[in-house]
Amino acid sequence: MAHANLVPKLYKSIIEDVIEGVRELFAEEGLEEQVLKDLKQLWETKVMQSKATEGFFRHSHCSPQFTLQLPHNFHRVLQASAASLVIPAGRGFQHFTAADLGASQAGPTLTLPSGIAYPIHVPAGVTLQTASGHLYKVNVPVMVTQAPGDASILHHPVQQIFQPLGQPSVLQANVASVAQANASSAQAAAETLQPQETAVQQTMVFQPNVMEKNHLENCANTTLVQQPSVSQQQLATNAVLNQHAHSTGKSPQGNLHTAVFTPESSEGFFPAESLANNSSSVLLDVDVEGQLDIEPQESVQQQVSDDIIDLIIMGKSLDDNTVLKDQDTIASSDKVEPTEQMESNLRSEKDICSDIAGIIQLDGTGDVSPKEEIQHTKDKEENEFIGVIEPEDLKVLEDEEDNDEECDSISNTESSSSGDDNEEPQIDIVEEDPLNSGDDVSEQDTPDLFDTDNVIVCQYDKIHRSKNKWKFYLKDGVMSFEGKDHVFAKAIGDAEW
Amino acid sequence: MDADSDVALDILITNVVCVFRTRCHLNLRKIALEGANVIYKRDVGKVLMKLRKPRITATIWSSGRVMCTGATSEEEAKFGARRLARSLQKLGFQVIFTDFKVVNVLAVCNMPFEIRLPEFTKNNRPHASYEPELHPAVCYRIKTLRATLQIFSTGSITVTGPNVKAVASAVEQIYPFVFESRK
């Protein structure tokens, strides 16, 4: 259900964009930043409550992965921060209360609500059940971070990065906790969890790493690009990755990175954002160091900036095919490769990027919005006739007004000669009366027919027409109706034309 | 069984189909994007444009051929076709309204009596064909007029012909024969 995962991201991006846009206004008005934060939280809460989309929450974009099964004699007071959208970073973990998990069953089983923000601190003696039904018995207190459930995974680790921009220690703490979890978990199933989590961390690490590197203007230690040209990016990426690979001795992996990112870079998807630093990459390098023993690039390490966020959001370069292909290779590899995770993360970000940049249609081959591209596709699809017509069309467009005037004058003199033959101005064909403008013909009813302000932006399941009766089956949309905005997951409509 | 030569029957024209050419290549995509009330059928390479005023539906091909259906008279058909060509011209194409031709007229007529179809078929052997298992009406073709009539036992007759005149004459021609086999 890629569409379902894209929609919350889209909504999120809309909210983010609006909040960013009014941030300045709020500041000018003298309102505190806290007010803006409250507004954003309120907005997200409303959207969540409207149930227009599932899995819509601030810090995690996966449906609940775990069901906690507490032993019968085990009652621990856990406090949940469910729908409150608390920022996880800065704190070590979250606690849960049985009471707050309202949707879950009473008693020993707790279902983590979708609003849960990772990481989660799981006390000892708890049995975890993932969404897929696997049971993991936790013998030691465990820190559970979000497992890579789907392509949208990157959001969570990305979000984590947002906050601790200046606090690399937090990430370290998370990584450390993951490492601890690694050590503590004895179950094979749990072990599979951990590498995934590790991979997540790594992904989180690498993805901005790549992003940063691709957008770098200056990098002290690497031969990174000055300008975001594709080949340069590719080179830079490869160089960086190779450096990492060499330092860690995991050259195959590094090569994998390289191989992976090659197609990515070739996408040329990175927006022309200039970043003065690859601080986040360095930061994350440090984190990854704990896992992979990669030597950090210390000179870059010092700089951590908000650009990371932009990079992560904007700098998507993967396309779904690449990711899927890579995910296939994941299965074959003996260990969850961070590259693939990176791929998926990058892809998810790319999706966001595309959502933000301008909703790109996922369907319809050959249909592109820019006019220039239209002409290109046209040339491919249609015959050579176009080349002949194009200049004529352009000329018509330019001279349209002149033609109208001419036609008007002609019509006045030939208003009644509907059946007479008249010489055409251009073509030698002697044909019926040229289309008299205005008078008898044309001017279709009320131009643009009561153009309303009610707008719906959505996806469609099915549009059906019988004679002049239309039926609409729509999904995942936002609409502005009579001045109020609404969000819907499904809409059915009837109309008569 | 004298048939009244002056048939005061109401012949209702339900559909007039016409075609015309614009003598210029049409960019269907552009029409689909910028035109009003259009349906783009990309898979078959057509754009349907519906008009409200003369309620007609026009099928537009990229070659410049346009087919208009749904009009209720020949005049209306021409009127609608010109309107359509005008709107295409407004979209920016060098449209020339040429080769306008009404290709089909569909009319309905009701006889005040019912008809015995098997008897009618027997009496009008070469022109009438009747397959009750396939279709409940007798199909009567008038070669000279190039018109086809479908005669139902209820007395309702559907006529299709190249133009309104042919349709009218067809009804007049068939009346005596149908009158013979009335119930």
Side-chain angles (χ1 to χ4, degrees):
Chain A
M1 282 272 284
H3 289 291
N5 289 330
L6 291 174
V7 170
K9 273 184 247 165
L10 171 64
Y11 293 164
K12 202 163 290 302
S13 72
I14 293 176
I15 294 178
E16 299 273 355
D17 283 348
V18 171
I19 297 292
E20 289 303 317
V22 298
R23 197 179 290 269
E24 282 184 22
L25 290 172
F26 272 49
E28 284 172 18
E29 293 290 321
L31 296 174
E32 294 178 350
E33 188 73 13
Q34 184 59 33
V35 174
L36 193 65
K37 284 201 187 342
D38 287 344
L39 171 67
K40 187 175 181 184
Q41 284 191 9
L42 203 62
W43 191 353
E44 289 177 348
T45 310
K46 271 194 178 177
V47 175
M48 252 200 311
Q49 286 172 353
S50 71
K51 294 179 191 167
T53 175
E54 57 184 59
F56 184 92
F57 41 85
R58 199 181 201 182
H59 302 290
S60 180
H61 296 260
C62 292
S63 48
Q65 295 278 329
F66 297 101
T67 301
L68 288 179
Q69 285 182 349
L70 303 176
H72 289 268
N73 58 352
F74 191 86
H75 278 294
R76 190 92 168 230
V77 176
L78 306 171
Q79 296 163 359
S81 65
S84 64
L85 304 175
V86 176
I87 300 168
R91 321 185 190 199
F93 35 76
Q94 311 251 342
H95 299 276
F96 305 91
T97 52
D100 283 354
L101 302 174
S104 61
Q105 311 155 10
T109 303
L110 300 175
T111 303
L112 302 183
S114 56
I116 282 297
Y118 286 95
I120 304 168
H121 179 248
V122 180
V126 170
T127 304
L128 298 180
Q129 180 184 24
T130 64
S132 55
H134 295 299
L135 287 170
Y136 306 127
K137 180 86 189 301
V138 181
N139 297 323
V140 187
V142 170
M143 177 74 64
V144 176
T145 55
Q146 181 169 348
D150 56 8
S152 64
I153 181 180
L154 180 58
H155 274 285
H156 168 60
V158 166
Q159 293 286 350
Q160 283 186 343
I161 296 171
F162 287 1
Q163 295 308 319
L165 282 181
Q167 309 165 18
S169 59
V170 177
L171 283 175
Q172 291 242 4
N174 288 340
V175 174
S177 65
V178 173
Q180 173 196 5
N182 275 333
S184 63
S185 172
Q187 296 289 333
E191 279 174 355
T192 61
L193 266 185
Q194 300 308 330
Q196 285 180 340
E197 296 156 7
T198 305
V200 170
Q201 298 291 343
Q202 290 169 355
T203 348
M204 165 178 66
V205 168
F206 275 111
Q207 177 274 334
N209 183 4
V210 173
M211 294 309 179
E212 285 286 359
K213 292 190 179 352
N214 284 322
H215 294 283
L216 275 181
E217 279 186 355
N218 297 308
C219 182
N221 290 350
T222 65
T223 60
L224 287 178
V225 298
Q226 291 276 341
Q227 296 164 359
S229 64
V230 173
S231 59
Q232 292 268 349
Q233 289 173 354
Q234 189 171 346
L235 265 180
T237 309
N238 293 344
V240 171
L241 290 172
N242 283 333
Q243 286 189 8
H244 287 300
H246 289 319
S247 60
T248 59
K250 295 190 179 180
S251 43
Q253 194 173 12
N255 290 336
L256 187 54
H257 292 310
T258 306
V260 161
F261 283 106
T262 301
E264 298 170 21
S265 306
S266 63
E267 291 288 337
F269 232 108
F270 295 100
E273 276 213 4
S274 62
L275 286 181
N277 52 57
N278 53 354
S279 54
S280 66
S281 63
V282 179
L283 163 66
L284 301 166
D285 287 345
V286 176
D287 296 334
V288 176
E289 182 182 11
Q291 303 292 331
L292 296 179
D293 296 331
I294 297 176
E295 286 197 1
Q297 297 176 356
E298 318 219 345
S299 62
V300 194
Q301 184 174 0
Q302 310 310 324
Q303 311 161 0
V304 178
S305 76
D306 292 351
D307 291 337
I308 299 173
I309 304 177
D310 294 336
L311 275 182
I312 294 171
I313 292 180
M314 300 300 290
K316 294 181 201 173
S317 64
L318 292 179
D319 71 330
D320 295 349
N321 291 334
T322 311
V323 182
L324 287 174
K325 179 183 62 183
D326 293 326
Q327 284 186 347
D328 288 341
T329 61
I330 291 177
S332 58
S333 63
D334 50 353
K335 177 183 173 183
V336 177
E337 295 293 351
T339 50
E340 287 80 3
Q341 296 302 330
M342 259 184 290
E343 297 289 342
S344 64
N345 293 334
L346 285 166
R347 170 180 70 161
S348 61
E349 290 207 340
K350 182 193 78 167
D351 294 333
I352 299 177
C353 175
S354 60
D355 290 338
I356 295 178
I359 300 178
I360 295 180
Q361 286 179 320
L362 299 175
D363 59 350
T365 58
D367 288 336
V368 287
S369 38
K371 287 198 174 179
E372 299 79 17
E373 295 187 24
I374 290 178
Q375 290 191 355
H376 290 315
T377 57
K378 244 183 5 179
D379 289 337
K380 287 181 219 158
E381 295 171 7
E382 309 199 12
N383 53 25
E384 56 187 347
F385 226 155
I386 297 180
V388 177
I389 299 301
E390 288 276 90
E392 291 181 13
D393 283 349
L394 294 174
K395 204 167 46 164
V396 169
L397 284 171
E398 291 170 5
D399 303 338
E400 195 173 17
E401 300 213 355
D402 295 336
N403 283 342
D404 284 349
E405 295 167 5
E406 289 177 1
C407 288
D408 282 333
S409 61
I410 294 175
S411 69
N412 288 334
T413 57
E414 305 171 357
S415 56
S416 59
S417 60
S418 61
D420 296 342
D421 288 346
N422 290 314
E423 286 185 1
E424 298 306 315
Q426 297 168 355
I427 310 181
D428 48 327
I429 301 171
V430 179
E431 286 302 343
E432 298 180 14
D433 185 31
L435 288 173
N436 322 334
S437 77
D439 295 329
D440 42 340
V441 202
S442 97
E443 283 337 303
Q444 289 280 7
D445 32 37
T446 61
D448 289 349
L449 314 170
F450 34 89
D451 200 8
T452 73
D453 293 324
N454 297 335
V455 184
I456 298 181
V457 179
C458 63
Q459 299 173 348
Y460 69 90
D461 272 331
K462 184 154 78 155
I463 306 277
H464 173 76
R465 172 192 71 89
S466 282
K467 289 259 177 89
N468 68 339
K469 301 279 181 286
W470 290 79
K471 285 196 193 323
F472 308 92
Y473 298 88
L474 308 173
K475 65 179 179 184
D476 298 332
V478 301
M479 66 175 157
S480 168
F481 183 66
E482 288 176 356
K484 285 194 174 175
D485 286 348
H486 305 266
V487 171
F488 64 86
K490 224 178 172 188
I492 300 179
D494 280 284
E496 190 177 328
W497 182 79
Chain B
M1 300 220 189
D2 292 323
D4 292 336
S5 56
D6 189 8
V7 182
L9 288 171
D10 291 331
I11 305 176
L12 269 155
I13 303 177
T14 54
N15 193 20
V16 175
V17 179
C18 64
V19 294
F20 68 94
R21 306 174 83 150
T22 61
R23 292 287 170 179
C24 79
H25 187 279
L26 298 175
N27 182 358
L28 293 189
R29 201 196 143 79
K30 187 174 173 204
I31 297 175
L33 289 175
E34 300 171 14
N37 302 322
V38 287
I39 303 166
Y40 189 20
K41 293 196 171 216
R42 194 155 169 264
D43 41 342
V44 288
K46 297 192 277 197
V47 166
L48 302 181
M49 187 182 284
K50 291 178 176 287
L51 262 55
R52 275 206 169 97
K53 199 45 192 341
R55 195 160 279 262
I56 60 174
T57 301
T59 306
I60 306 163
W61 282 271
S62 60
S63 62
R65 289 205 55 184
V66 180
M67 178 182 75
C68 285
T69 62
T72 54
S73 73
E74 281 184 356
E75 274 303 311
E76 196 176 290
K78 182 150 194 184
F79 187 55
R82 290 181 78 85
R83 234 190 209 180
L84 188 79
R86 176 74 191 143
S87 72
L88 287 178
Q89 197 177 60
K90 280 208 170 133
L91 283 175
F93 299 104
Q94 290 274 45
V95 165
I96 301 162
F97 189 76
T98 66
D99 295 340
F100 175 81
K101 186 166 184 269
V102 171
V103 290
N104 195 24
V105 173
L106 179 73
V108 168
C109 183
N110 239 308
M111 297 294 159
F113 45 81
E114 288 183 3
I115 305 161
R116 284 197 198 108
L117 295 184
E119 184 185 322
F120 174 84
T121 319
K122 263 185 257 177
N123 296 337
N124 298 278
R125 206 42 86 120
H127 303 101
S129 79
Y130 182 40
E131 285 286 339
E133 292 178 0
L134 296 180
H135 191 55
V138 175
C139 179
Y140 191 99
R141 291 188 197 273
I142 303 175
K143 246 188 170 173
T144 52
L145 295 170
R146 287 179 293 128
T148 303
L149 299 98
Q150 291 197 351
I151 302 143
F152 291 85
S153 58
T154 58
S156 167
I157 299 180
T158 303
V159 195
T160 68
N163 50 55
V164 175
K165 248 188 160 191
V167 163
S169 342
V171 173
E172 287 194 8
Q173 265 192 35
I174 201 75
Y175 185 83
F177 302 121
V178 167
F179 192 80
E180 282 178 9
S181 310
R182 73 186 186 285
K183 282 191 188 161

